[in-house]
Amino acid sequence: MSVTPPPAPAAPDAAQLDAAQPADQGVTAPAGFEAAGVAVGLKSTGKPDVAVVVNRGPLKVAAAVFTSNRAKANPILWSQQVIADGVAEAIVLNSGGANCFTGSFGFQTTHQTAERAAELLGVGPGDILVCSTGLIGSGDETFRAKVLDGTAQAIAALSPDSGPDAAHAIMTTDTVAKTVTIHGDGWTIGAMAKGAGMLAPGLATMLVVITTDAVLTAAQADAHLRAATRVSFDRLDSDGCMSTNDQVTLLVSGASGVTPDAAAFGAALTEVCTALAVKLQGDAEGASHDITIEVVNAASEDDAVEVGRSVARNNLFKAAIFGNDPNWGRVLAAIGTTHAAFDPYEVDVTFNGVRLCSAGAPDRPREEVDLTPRATSVVIDLKAGDAAATIFTNDLTHDYVHENSAYSS
């Protein structure tokens, strides 16, 4: 099984790096899919802002997972109904407006988007998924007209080579398009994602479309997707803020004619989701450190997740990392607020390969830890069992505060 994701950006000039890389086809890498991305003025930058991905079959199987936020955007409410029968013909996505808390007008806009796509594709609107991303509370007649026009333009531009265009069209504050392709034994998985802020469990603030030409039933697709997101997107906790528009969709064309080994396909899908989660982490708004928190020897996986998340959401810890300070005391203070089974006075904490805390007491000098690289590793050994989990987060920076204070201006 070979992996062909584009190189992940490592620094602030990621936009230039992204432009210099050969395009990964992403969602159009598997057979049976076409896509497009067009610009209709939803973004003030004039960049692409409406994308369509169409499954040409022969299978039209689909599965999706959605934000667990009770406050759900209109496209989420629509797509939850569409996906109920495990069938979808296409997905329409727009950036530049979340279409959330826009009243009945907003839901009608989503419905009309599905109807416009269905009419042009010759299918039923109940088989069209819809996604939106952007500023909450924005949406008017101009927004609706642009989305509907963009849907028509994108469908007219559909191509099996336009996966990269679709990936660029769903970007908001992202600095790079995020795509991944994995080739299995006679089948392929392709994917695209957007997300750079409000990254928290319940998926993270992101739109993800995954495609495969493997042969799967709706039940198999749903089970594989939930298993993969559980250990990837649901472990991404950049800023502790949960979005209203999160959706991860898996579309299955079956065009390869190959029924994959279940374990092999599940592992590949998890690899795709994890790779995208890491790309989302690496492009988080204003971040200067990508922090991987590995909790080991926990009494249960749930305990490991709870402990890791308590550190990922601790602003004192995140501020310390921004200041290149390996403050392990803040780690112990954070994990002490959890209900996990462990003795705080037996815990070891390691930063970037240097164990600074052993059995709840100082070990190596802090000066031995170099936190200047962007990649930062924290290992927490609870010494309470044999379970483990990894949480992905970022530091808390001046740039993050500035970008989010000026987001709607």
Side-chain angles (χ1 to χ4, degrees), residues 194-195 199 203-208 233 243 245-248 280:
K194 68 77 53 181
L199 301 180
L203 295 185
T205 187
M206 60 190 190
L207 302 181
V208 179
F233 298 123
S243 176
N245 290 61
D246 309 330
Q247 182 170 330
V248 180
L280 294 171

Side-chain angles (χ1 to χ4, degrees), residues 64-72 76 80 197-208 226 229-238 240-248 280 305 309 313 391:
V65 290
F66 303 92
T67 180
S68 57
N69 197 328
R70 291 169 56 199
K72 292 177 170 58
I76 295 292
Q80 285 179 319
M198 288 182 73
L199 301 180
L203 295 185
T205 187
M206 60 190 190
L207 302 181
V208 179
R226 292 182 184 279
T229 56
R230 186 184 71 83
V231 296
S232 56
F233 298 123
D234 281 347
R235 303 283 173 86
L236 177 62
D237 200 336
S238 178
C241 299
M242 186 186 298
S243 176
T244 56
N245 290 61
D246 309 330
Q247 182 170 330
V248 180
L280 294 171
V305 170
R309 210 178 301 290
R313 292 187 168 187
I391 302 294

Side-chain angles (χ1 to χ4, degrees), residues 10 84 170 233 253:
I170 62 175
F233 298 123
S253 73

